[in-house]
Amino acid sequence: MRVLIEVVHIAIGLVAAALISAAAAWSYPRATGDIWLVGYACMIAVVIMGIGPVRKAFAADKARLAGTEPRADG
């Protein structure tokens, strides 16, 4: 479940970067190429920054399914 949440966060970040880039390119057509270049760089950064949390979430889900997750009551 945690992996799904992290992947959804990455997807939302990609959609947000695409919408912001599209709005910026629409508002200033002379720099459309440069705006999309920066937008793509931001999308790559979103994916790269999401790799760590996805790996941690995968490990946590795997531990939970194996029953080795620490209990909250001590």
Side-chain angles (χ1 to χ4, degrees):
M1 184 66 172
R2 294 174 186 170
V3 174
L4 178 64
I5 292 170
E6 292 298 334
V7 171
V8 168
H9 280 128
I10 292 172
I12 290 170
L14 292 174
V15 169
L19 290 175
I20 291 169
S21 296
W26 171 80
S27 69
Y28 194 64
R30 291 180 7 178
T32 299
D34 294 330
I35 290 169
W36 278 109
L37 179 66
V38 172
Y40 292 138
C42 290
M43 290 179 206
I44 291 169
V46 165
V47 171
I48 290 172
M49 289 187 296
I51 291 171
V54 168
R55 290 180 66 211
K56 289 179 185 176
F58 181 76
D61 282 347
K62 188 175 177 182
R64 183 173 180 219
L65 289 175
T68 59
E69 185 177 5
R71 293 177 48 148
D73 60 358

